[in-house]
Amino acid sequence: MAESEMRVVLVTGGGGLVGKAVQHCIENLGEKREGETWIFCTSKDADLTDLESTKQLIAKYKPTHILHLAALVGGLYVNLARNLDFFRVNMKINDNVLLAAHEANINKVVSCLSSCIFPDKIKYPIDESSLHLGPPHDSNFGYSYAKRMVEVLNRGYNDQYGRQFVSVIPTNVFGPHDNFHLQNSHVIPGLIHKIYLRKQDPIKNDFKVMGTGKPLRQFIFSHDLAKLMIWTVREYSEKKPLILSVGEKDEISIRDAVMNICSALDYPFENLQFDTTKSDGQYKKTVSNEKIVKLLPDFKFTPFDEAVKETCDWFVKNFDSCRK
Ligand code: NAP
Ligand code: GFB
C-alpha cells in the first residue's frame, strides 16, 4: 500500500501484549511514517462484543485501516476451562469489527488468528493452506473455531464486496506487557511470574512446571511480530492468510523454554519439578514461515534468549503495575 494512501490505522486490542508491542515499534522504534496516525484502543474505548459501541468507535476515529487484535485470549489451562466463552466472546468481537469496518467502507482490515487453530492431526510443517483440513486440538476448540470463522468472514467480505480483509497467523507470542496471571497466562509469562515469586520467597512459593515439558513450540517475540504486522497492514496485498513465525528450526521444547527463563532470572534449573498430572495440551503445531521469509528475506528475528531476558527484565521492573 503506497505511503501516501495510508492515513489512520485503528488498532483494536491496543493495550494488550501485541498491541503494546505495535505501539512501542511505532512510537519508540521509528516505525511511524509521515502522514500516518496510529490509534491504540482498549476495551475502555469500546466493548467490541457490542455492535453499537463498535460502530461508534469507528465513527469516532474514521480509520482507513484496522489492525484487529482484540480478543479473549489465554493460555492452555483457561482455554480448557472456558471453551464456550472463548468461542462466543471472540465470535461476537470478530463479527462486529468486520461488519462495522465494512459498513464504514474501510477496505483493509488485518485480523489475528493463531497457529493453535490449525488441525491437530496434520502433516508438518503446517502452511497457510491447511486451516480447515481437520478439527483443531480439543483443548482450545472454542477459541480455534471462533478464529477460523474470521477467515470465513474475510472470504465473504472479499468475495461479495471486494474488500481486502486478511488475517495473520502468529505462533506463541511473548514479551513486555504480557498477561502474567498465574493461572490464565501463557507458559512463558506464567513461568516468569512463578520463578520470580519462588526467588522472592522460596519457603512460601513452591512451584512446578505444569505437564511433562516435552511439547514443542515456536515462540515469537512480540516486538518482532509487531514489525511484521505493521508491514502487513501497509504492504501485504494478497487476500490469503499469512503465517508470522520463527522458523521450524527455532522450535523448542517447553522444558528448554523454561530453562531459558531460569537462566534469565538466575534461578537454578536443577530444582525444576514437573507436575505431570497437568495437561500438556497440544504436543506440537509446527508451522512453516517460508511465505513471510520470501516476502521479507532480510527480516531478522530476535534470538530467543535475548527476547526472554528482555521480557524478564521488563517484568521485574514493572512487577507492581503489570497484568498478573
Ligand atoms: P491480550 O494481551 O490479552 O490483549 C487482548 C486485548 O483485547 C486486550 O487489550 C483487551 O483489552 C482487548 N479486548 C478483549 N476483549 C475486548 C472487548 N470485548 N472489547 C474491546 N477490547 C477487548 O492478548 P494478545 O496476546 O495481545 O493477543 C492479541 C491478538 O493476538 C489476539 O487476537 C490473539 O488471539 C492473537 N494471538 C496471541 C497469541 C499469544 O501467544 N499471545 C498467539 C497467537 C495469536 P483490555 O486490556 O482493555 O481488556
Ligand atoms: O502458552 P500455553 O499455555 O499455550 O502453553 P499452548 C502450554 C504448554 O506449556 C503446555 C506447559 O505444554 C503446558 O503443560 N506449561 C508448563 C504451562 N507450565 C505452564 C504454566 O505455568 N502455564 C501455562 N499456560 N502452560 C495456547 C492456546 O496453547 O496457545 C491458546 O490454548 C493460544 O488458544 C495460545 O492460541 C497461543 O501453546 O499450549
Side-chain angles (χ1 to χ4, degrees):
M1 180 67 66
E3 272 181 52
S4 57
E5 296 169 36
M6 175 76 91
R7 282 287 174 273
V8 179
V9 186
L10 179 74
V11 182
T12 72
L17 164 68
V18 182
K20 280 292 205 185
V22 174
Q23 185 170 22
H24 175 68
C25 292
I26 289 289
E27 296 178 358
N28 310 329
L29 299 188
E31 288 278 342
K32 187 175 180 314
R33 283 184 183 174
E34 207 47 47
E36 286 176 357
T37 304
W38 289 72
I39 297 157
F40 298 90
C41 297
T42 73
S43 56
K44 289 182 190 61
D45 301 296
D47 174 358
L48 298 174
T49 61
D50 176 81
L51 180 57
E52 219 25 64
S53 312
T54 308
K55 288 182 175 179
Q56 284 164 15
L57 178 77
I58 289 177
K60 179 178 176 183
Y61 292 110
K62 299 182 178 41
T64 57
H65 298 67
I66 293 179
L67 174 57
H68 172 37
L69 303 176
L72 176 59
V73 180
L76 166 63
Y77 300 107
V78 66
N79 270 272
L80 276 169
R82 294 181 56 197
N83 265 297
L84 175 64
D85 295 341
F86 275 83
F87 180 75
R88 296 193 68 242
V89 169
N90 287 313
M91 282 293 287
K92 281 185 192 172
I93 290 174
N94 296 329
D95 192 41
N96 289 343
V97 169
L98 294 180
L99 176 61
H102 165 65
E103 289 186 349
N105 201 28
I106 293 163
N107 209 41
K108 185 162 184 186
V109 178
V110 177
S111 298
C112 200
L113 311 186
S114 170
S115 61
C116 73
I117 76 172
F118 281 109
D120 184 39
K121 302 276 178 281
I122 193 87
K123 187 172 68 67
Y124 299 112
I126 303 169
D127 70 30
E128 290 86 350
S129 65
S130 21
L131 192 58
H132 299 285
L133 296 184
H137 191 264
D138 220 30
S139 61
N140 65 344
F141 70 87
Y143 174 85
S144 296
Y145 280 116
K147 286 289 188 178
R148 287 191 188 188
M149 291 307 109
V150 173
E151 196 275 333
V152 172
L153 284 164
N154 285 350
R155 256 191 288 168
Y157 283 107
N158 297 347
D159 293 356
Q160 200 164 320
Y161 295 106
R163 295 295 179 204
Q164 201 202 344
F165 290 5
V166 297
S167 46
V168 290
I169 312 181
T171 45
N172 292 54
V173 192
F174 70 97
H177 299 283
D178 209 333
N179 165 14
F180 292 87
H181 189 275
L182 289 174
Q183 279 78 41
N184 297 344
S185 57
H186 290 102
V187 58
I188 287 185
L191 265 296
I192 290 174
H193 190 175
K194 289 174 182 173
I195 293 170
Y196 174 80
L197 292 178
R198 171 80 172 162
K199 279 192 68 178
Q200 296 293 308
D201 185 338
I203 309 301
K204 194 171 130 236
N205 301 311
D206 188 13
F207 90 97
K208 289 183 179 176
V209 179
M210 302 217 255
T212 65
K214 292 193 177 115
L216 301 169
R217 294 291 183 271
Q218 288 158 289
F219 293 103
I220 182 168
F221 186 39
S222 60
H223 294 181
D224 294 345
L225 176 61
K227 289 172 189 162
L228 295 174
M229 282 183 164
I230 293 165
W231 176 86
T232 307
V233 172
R234 286 181 180 144
E235 311 294 350
Y236 186 58
S237 56
E238 296 179 38
K239 297 190 177 183
K240 293 273 177 218
L242 179 62
I243 287 173
L244 302 180
S245 169
V246 297
E248 296 163 65
K249 65 174 177 37
D250 296 310
E251 185 178 57
I252 60 171
S253 70
I254 295 295
R255 179 190 179 83
D256 286 347
V258 179
M259 284 167 64
N260 215 299
I261 296 169
C262 291
S263 309
L265 290 174
D266 192 20
Y267 178 77
F269 47 73
E270 295 76 27
N271 302 346
L272 274 186
Q273 292 179 26
F274 290 78
D275 179 354
T276 54
T277 66
K278 294 288 185 309
S279 167
D280 267 343
Q282 201 166 4
Y283 175 65
K284 66 187 270 173
K285 40 186 172 177
T286 318
V287 298
S288 159
N289 72 348
E290 197 181 310
K291 189 168 177 184
I292 189 64
V293 168
K294 273 202 187 115
L295 289 164
L296 291 174
D298 300 330
F299 186 82
K300 294 275 174 290
F301 290 97
T302 307
F304 181 67
D305 55 347
E306 273 177 45
V308 168
K309 184 76 176 89
E310 185 168 338
T311 307
C312 290
D313 293 349
W314 184 90
F315 174 76
V316 173
K317 187 161 167 258
N318 296 276
F319 180 75
D320 292 339
S321 60
C322 73
R323 286 186 292 165
K324 57 185 188 293

